[in-house]
């Protein structure tokens, strides 16, 4: 059958059989190709599976007649769970083979020949309640069997091609029926529309007798073998015919008909959205993100389904957390009422559908469905009211229908009940805000410009009315169910409105972006297409294999001097020349390098799976001296004079890049795919910034898109770009994190527009000054347009006349000084422009002056558009689409705004992605497609991915999607696993070499930069501590180790107390608070430590909170001088067993790393051995140098001094308590002297003296109080929050007034760290007075999986 459909395969088949038979003859063996093991292995495997499916899944208790139909619900059956598991696993096996192109080509004809899908559809298990997962897997197998792809060429079939092949099949069948089967005459003469539906075709075929049907299917059409035992079953033969000839629904149609919001049916379907405790044993009906994909459509489809289900899971968790606090009950009228309150959910006063628009042509769902919801915020305290009032257009809300049971469920019923039954939850529907109005009908939060800034007023009253857009596809399905099945009207039952945290609520926009991509014929650049899908040669997209290379690259300020350049090319004999080709004996930067296509280097093209042969950074020069090195020609040119003013001087790079970093820069500026693996502290950001800098200067017309995962990383990158020679007017930062940029300039769209308008006025005033200096009227500086004419008529013409006059007067040294036409204009320069002693020097200065003028008029030309465009929006869009050369945003912003970018015609040539190993695969893919194709070709020329797959992957909260579907595999990691060459930076400049040894074993050849070996700060010990890093063993504290007040919410009170005591000790020695961070591996511990700090440290101005208290996962990409790390667990290692988390935890510190944990547990963990071995070579009791009383010591890091080993938490608390007492006594004495002294003096002298005295007392103790003035930690204080479940009531600490208490006074109650079962910290029934409602946003998040919870 397969050969008939593909005539070109017949020749290959015959050739192959001939070759094999010739080989067999030579060996004297008879060859029967159909009996070989390779041919029969899979068929026999499938037949064995069908045998199990038919006869072993149901073991019968009583014998029944063979004629009896095996009914799925029959009482004679007992399901064999092992057989069911086998059937599910076998389905998964077939799906995996069909979803990979190399295996699909061979397997698909076999699956069709045996009719696996038809047999599974007719099996008893498919219809049995225990076969729900099996049925979903069969449907997935059918989907991949009919996938729209040409199996042999691997190209995606368009909708037209699929339809055409379907018509061809049906026509040929009709022709056969017309000629050979008189009974099917009606079918043969029918039009295709009348027979391609399942029901119609089945009816037409029913005229045939069983024998005729078997003859048709097995002999004439050869769809099934007549030896097949199933071929005698009429229902099977008809099923085979229907599945072969019916019209399949297009995948695009299926996706477009899918509601983007989840409903209650999918939310609690365990086989689709598994609960958190997925063990990994069974299989699931989920797509997998493997290394290879069939087509781009397949790739998008898998990502769409997984992203949708992951967001469904998160929404489900939010509903389960918000709804119980409402305490729903049935009142005397039999209606649902609420006696509680919830921060994220509010009862609805009124819900009504206001408009249902007619469907668009060719669609059945309405064009749009609009509704109005009224709710009251009267029960909320002001801080939560503000959160509800911050809702704006495009935010997603959820409508819930809650109807609790009249009687409370009994214990037995409660154990059996599903979550929706326990919550009384009937329906869930999503909606998107169109507008929100207050009680008087005034628009709130309107960003469309309908309300001007002057008209804006604060919202009035307590009622709010939200106009929302419902999901039209879901509405159509609901209305159809009401009409056809008599179902309940969902839209009349909604009584609760739920919101979500804005950061977690972006799922709809991202799903829409993916769906839009599926509806477009999206084009990945040809050079990336095959590699992206996982095929082709891994190095095909490397720059050496690309066309249109930059042959000569101007490296600008990359190299600090000639020696630096020579070190960067150790395999070459560097030959310096001047601009005119003569040898240069005193070369100085900048340098232009003529790059050979086959650039030799140790650092290039490390294959993803090979080992490197490079030594440490400093071994670069160890090249065999006998081998003749190739010449590398480098032009050392003198850059033109930039201009006479200080602001004209270009900013210079001061980083001495390593040879590996130079390799990464060369690869990044050439076309193609560049992958850079940057271990911690190896200067990823500096490398990325230099790539952007060199790219801007070598390709000034090209535009670069800069993407990162977090706002923090984007801001770090941006701040460094601004220190390079890229004009600020070409930089643009999109998204919400712009306000956190630590710069005076505003790089948002609005800020850039304002800056351009201000700059325009500055430049026009300069033009007026120039006109004055030339004795011309000043009105030439009225607009950018008049300034342009002035440039051509008066400025450029004068310059040309001046150049012509200079032509014969090179021998007169003062000629330039005398004849330069703009001398008066440049009379205000800091130094005199001309010396009058050398014609060459003065001519160079004159050209610099002219360059300054040219830049002024060029900038004015760029400002001209802002003069013509009047509205702010138009100006901002012009800036983004035309003016900016480097546009930066986070991957989330790119996915959210893709539609807007396409509408505006946004274009870019290069994509640079930082932190790309932390970004979800689909969120990496979308930024590649933020522009329309040009004439069917993608414009993208370079893709630079920078990341580290040895650190933590993207966060995926559901374990099943993470482990089973590999959803946490980033594109970067997939490319590394596919063996695509990458450059690994190999010298770290962050940490002491001794601390770097704790994690550098995970990387190929990670050495240290000279800086960390030479700098004095890395040689000095940490004052007060004997060691620069140490593991501190923390035994049970008051008989307890780890506790878990709620699942996966781990805390360890002993470690929390110990860590905070060490922090206080450091502060009392005078360590600055902003140089210390406290990290932990669980959210529960983070909140506990914050609580201890708020009680112990915040009340005292001389201690204050540390720089950060957060989890290891959240601190990825950041660093600090001193890290105190709490590992929490005492029974099981938990998720630290993931070595990637360990690498992040150990690589955050620069000068001191102190790990608090249970030694006996972690020393036995095999995976963590390389890090814990060096830690355990030092004492496991904290070693202090108590004789050091200041944060500065001359002691060498190797010298441990006189260590005092602290026995445990209690002793550390006593040490700190003693120090605080000394400090307070010293303060009291100083205060007493001050009071006595001040009594003798008059007002002003009193003030001066008081100031002096208090300062000196502080200085004596060397205390840095600056951090304390900043208030509480990150403005995030952990208060007890009445309605946030999982939060711990935050009281788990001693409640004394005076800081660190002696151990016996510290509170030890179990309840302290417990979480109330229903999440209500106090009050019997969950009704809290408004003033007790907590306002902590971030502290109350217990990211069930930010820390990927595997116990």
């Amino acid at each position: 059958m397969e050969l008939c459909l593909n005539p070109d395969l017949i020749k290959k088949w015959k050739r192959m059989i001939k070759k094999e038979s010739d080989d067999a003859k030579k060996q004297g063996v008879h060859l029967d190709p159909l009996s070989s093991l390779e041919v029969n292995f899979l068929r026999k495997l499938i037949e064995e599976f069908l045998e199990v499916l038919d006869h072993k899944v149901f073991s019968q208790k009583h014998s029944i007649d063979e004629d009896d139909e095996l009914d799925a619900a029959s009482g004679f059956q007992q399901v064999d769970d092992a057989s069911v598991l086998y059937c599910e696993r076998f389905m998964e096996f077939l799906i995996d083979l069909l979803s990979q192109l190399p295996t699909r080509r061979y397997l698909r004809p076999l699956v069709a020949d045996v009719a696996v899908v038809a047999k599974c559809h007719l099996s008893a298990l498919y219809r049995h309640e225990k076969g729900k997962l099996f049925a979903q897997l069969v449907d997935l197998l059918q989907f991949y069997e009919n996938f729209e792809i040409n199996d042999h060429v691997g190209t995606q079939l368009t909708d037209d091609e699929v339809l055409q092949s379907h018509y061809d099949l049906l026509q040929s069948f009709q022709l056969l029926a017309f000629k050979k089967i008189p009974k099917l005459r009606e079918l043969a003469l029918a039009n295709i529309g009348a027979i391609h539906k399942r029901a119609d075709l089945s009816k037409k075929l029913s005229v045939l007798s069983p024998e005729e049907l078997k003859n048709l299917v097995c002999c004439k059409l050869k769809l099934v073998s007549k030896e097949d035992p199933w071929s005698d079953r009429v229902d099977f033969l008809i099923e085979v015919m229907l599945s072969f000839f019916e019209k399949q629904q297009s995948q695009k149609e299926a996706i477009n008909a899918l509601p983007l919001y989840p409903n209650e049916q999918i939310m609690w379907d365990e086989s689709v959205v598994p609960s958190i405790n997925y063990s990994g044993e069974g299989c699931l009906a989920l797509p997998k993100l493997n290394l290879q994909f069939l087509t781009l459509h397949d790739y998008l489809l898998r990502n769409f389904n997984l992203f949708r289900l992951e967001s469904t899971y998160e929404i489900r968790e939010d509903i389960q957390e918000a709804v119980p606090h409402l305490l729903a009950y049935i009142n005397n009228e039999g209606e649902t009422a609420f006696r509680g309150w919830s921060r994220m959910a509010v009862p609805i006063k009124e819900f009504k559908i206001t408009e249902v628009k007619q469907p668009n042509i060719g669609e059945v769902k309405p064009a749009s469905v609009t509704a109005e919801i009224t709710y009251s915020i009267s029960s909320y305290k002001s801080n939560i009211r503000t959160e509800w009032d911050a809702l704006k257009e495009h935010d997603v809300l959820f409508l819930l229908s809650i109807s609790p049971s009249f009687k409370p469920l009994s214990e037995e019923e409660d154990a059996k009940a599903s979550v929706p039954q326990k919550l009384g939850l009937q329906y869930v529907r999503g909606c998107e805000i169109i507008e929100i109005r207050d009680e008087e009908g005034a628009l709130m939060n309107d960003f469309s410009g309908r309300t001007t800034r002057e008209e804006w007023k604060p919202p009035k009253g307590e009622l709010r009315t939200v106009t929302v857009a419902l999901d039209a596809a879901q509405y159509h399905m609901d209305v159809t169910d009401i009409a056809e099945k008599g179902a309940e009207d969902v839209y009349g039952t909604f009584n609760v409105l739920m919101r979500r945290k804005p950061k977690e609520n972006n799922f709809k926009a991202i799903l829409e972006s993916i769906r839009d991509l599926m509806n477009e014929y999206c084009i990945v650049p040809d050079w990336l297409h095959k590699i992206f899908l996982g095929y082709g040669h891994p190095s095909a997209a490397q720059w050496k294999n690309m066309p249109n290379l930059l042959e000569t690259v101007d490296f600008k300020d990359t190299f600090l001097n000639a020696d630096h350049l020579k070190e960067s090319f150790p395999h070459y004999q560097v030959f310096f020349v001047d601009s005119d080709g003569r040898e240069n004996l005193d070369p100085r930067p900048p340098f232009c390098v003529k790059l050979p296509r086959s650039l030799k280097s140790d650092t290039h093209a490390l294959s993803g799976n090979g080992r490197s042969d490079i030594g440490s950074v400093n071994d670069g020069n160890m090249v065999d001296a006998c081998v003749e090195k190739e010449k590398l020609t480098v032009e050392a040119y003198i850059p033109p004079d930039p201009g006479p003013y200080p602001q004209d001087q270009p900013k210079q790079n001061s980083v001495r890049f390593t040879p590996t970093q130079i390799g990464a820069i060369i690869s990044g500026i050439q076309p193609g795919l560049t992958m850079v693996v940057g271990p911690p502290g190896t200067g990823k950001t500096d490398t990325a910034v230099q790539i952007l800098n060199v790219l801007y200067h070598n390709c000034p017309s090209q535009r670069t898109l800069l993407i990162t995962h977090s706002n923090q990383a984007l801001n770090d990158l941006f701040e460094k770009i601004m220190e390079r020679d890229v004009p600020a007017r070409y930089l643009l930062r999109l998204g919400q994190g712009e306000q956190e940029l630590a710069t005076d300039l505003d790089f948002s769209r609005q800020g850039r527009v304002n800056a351009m308008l201000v700059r325009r006025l500055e430049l026009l005033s300069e033009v007026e000054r120039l006109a004055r200096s030339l004795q011309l009227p000043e009105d030439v500086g009225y607009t950018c347009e008049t300034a342009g004419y002035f440039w051509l008529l008066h400025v450029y013409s004068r310059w040309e006349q001046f150049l012509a006059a200079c032509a014969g007067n090179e021998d007169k040294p003062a000629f330039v000084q005398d004849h330069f036409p703009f001398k008066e204009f440049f009379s205000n320069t800091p130094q005199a422009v001309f010396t009058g002693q050398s014609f060459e020097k003065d001519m160079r200065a004159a050209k610099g002056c002219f360059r300054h003028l040219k830049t002024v008029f060029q900038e004015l030309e760029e400002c001209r558009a802002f003069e013509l465009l009047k509205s702010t929006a138009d100006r901002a869009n012009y800036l983004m689409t035309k003016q900016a050369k480097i546009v930066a945003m986070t991957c989330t912003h790119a996915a959210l705004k893709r539609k807007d970018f396409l509408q505006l015609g946004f274009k870019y040539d290069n994509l640079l992605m930082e932190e790309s190993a932390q970004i979800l695969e689909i969120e990496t893919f979308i930024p590649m497609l933020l522009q329309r194709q040009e004439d069917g070709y993608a414009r993208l020329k370079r893709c630079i991915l920078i990341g580290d797959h040895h650190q933590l992957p993207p966060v995926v909260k559901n374990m099943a999607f993470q482990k089973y579907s590999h959803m946490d595999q980033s594109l970067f990691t997939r490319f590394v696993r596919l063996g695509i060459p990458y450059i690994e930076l190999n010298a770290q400049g962050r940490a002491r070499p001794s601390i770097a040894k704790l994690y550098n074993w995970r990387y190929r050849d990670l050495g240290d930069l000279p800086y960390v070996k030479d700098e004095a700060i890395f040689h000095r010990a940490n004052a007060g501590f004997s060691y620069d890093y140490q593991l501190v063993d923390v035994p049970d504290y008051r008989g307890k180790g780890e506790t878990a007040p709620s699942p996966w919410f781990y805390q360890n009170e002993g470690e929390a107390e110990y860590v905070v005591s060490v922090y206080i000790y450091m502060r009392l020695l005078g360590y600055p608070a902003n140089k210390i961070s406290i990290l932990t591996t669980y959210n529960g511990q983070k909140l506990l430590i914050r609580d201890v700090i708020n009680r112990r440290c915040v009340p005292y101005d001389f201690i204050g909170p540390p720089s950060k208290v957060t989890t290891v996962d959240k601190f990825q990409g950041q660093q600090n001088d001193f890290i105190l790390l709490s590992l929490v667990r005492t029974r099981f290692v938990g998720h630290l067993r993931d070595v990637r988390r360990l690498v992040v935890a150990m690589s955050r510190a620069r000068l001191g790393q102190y790990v608090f944990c249970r030694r006996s547990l972690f020393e036995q963990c095999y995976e963590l051995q390389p890090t814990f071995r060096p830690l355990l070579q030092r004492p496991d009791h904290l070693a202090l140098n108590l004789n050091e009383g200041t944060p500065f010591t001359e002691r060498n890091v190797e010298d441990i001094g006189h260590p005092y080993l602290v026995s445990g938490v209690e002793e550390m608390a006593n040490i700190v308590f003693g120090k605080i007492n000394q400090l307070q006594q010293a303060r009291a004495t100083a205060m007493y002297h001050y009071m006595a002294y001040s009594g003798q003096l008059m007002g002003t002298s009193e003030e001066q003296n008081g100031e002096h005295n208090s300062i000196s007392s502080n200085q004596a103790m060397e205390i840095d109080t600056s951090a304390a003035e900043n208030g509480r930690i990150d403005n995030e204080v952990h208060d007890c929050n009445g309605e946030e479940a999982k939060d711990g009531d935050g009281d788990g600490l001693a409640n004394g007034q005076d800081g660190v208490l002696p151990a016996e006074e510290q509170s030890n109650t179990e309840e302290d760290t417990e979480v109330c079962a229903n999440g209500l910290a106090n009050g019997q029934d969950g009704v809290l007075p408004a003033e007790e409602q907590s306002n902590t946003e971030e502290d109350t998040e217990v990211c069930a999986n930010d820390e990927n919870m595997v116990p």
Side-chain angles (χ1 to χ4, degrees), residues 1179-1195:
D1180 61 5
H1181 284 63
L1182 184 62
L1184 301 179
N1185 267 312
L1186 294 174
N1187 55 353
E1188 291 173 341
T1190 70
F1192 182 80
T1193 177
E1194 285 297 341
R1195 180 165 55 90

Side-chain angles (χ1 to χ4, degrees), residues 275 303 387 485 545 630 747 1127:
S275 54
N303 274 289
E387 289 175 17
K485 300 177 186 170
N545 304 318
E630 273 185 53
F747 283 92
L1127 299 184

Side-chain angles (χ1 to χ4, degrees), residues 1160-1179:
S1160 57
L1161 174 68
F1162 288 97
E1163 71 181 343
Q1164 292 170 8
C1165 181
Y1166 172 76
E1167 292 92 333
L1168 312 182
Q1169 284 302 303
T1171 290
F1172 278 85
R1173 213 177 289 119
L1175 281 169
L1176 294 169
Q1177 285 167 1
R1178 297 181 171 183

Side-chain angles (χ1 to χ4, degrees), residues 391-409:
L391 291 173
K392 59 186 184 300
E393 191 184 6
H394 300 309
D395 282 356
V396 171
L397 300 173
F398 287 89
L399 296 158
L400 313 180
S401 174
I402 292 176
S403 175
S405 54
F406 193 70
K407 289 182 188 169
L409 298 173

Side-chain angles (χ1 to χ4, degrees), residues 759 763 766-767 825 851-861:
R759 183 71 179 142
L763 294 169
E766 281 290 277
V767 171
F825 178 79
R851 177 167 278 98
H852 172 86
L853 288 176
K854 195 172 178 183
T855 307
V856 166
F857 285 97
Q858 188 182 336
E859 273 192 65
L860 274 171
E861 188 57 37

Side-chain angles (χ1 to χ4, degrees), residues 1237-1298:
Y1237 184 56
S1238 63
Q1240 303 164 16
L1241 299 168
M1242 300 302 290
T1244 53
S1245 60
E1246 271 180 8
E1247 285 172 25
Q1248 289 166 1
N1249 209 38
E1251 237 173 78
H1252 172 265
N1253 219 343
S1254 62
I1255 289 170
S1256 61
S1257 70
N1258 264 351
Q1259 281 171 339
M1261 295 171 283
E1262 296 215 28
I1263 288 170
D1264 168 11
T1265 57
S1266 63
E1269 290 163 15
N1270 293 334
R1272 287 154 126 57
I1273 310 161
D1274 301 342
N1275 301 321
E1276 299 169 342
V1277 185
H1278 173 51
D1279 284 333
C1280 167
N1281 181 345
E1283 59 88 52
E1284 295 276 355
K1286 301 188 195 165
D1287 239 3
D1289 85 357
D1291 209 29
L1293 318 146
N1295 46 8
Q1297 296 302 309
D1298 58 353

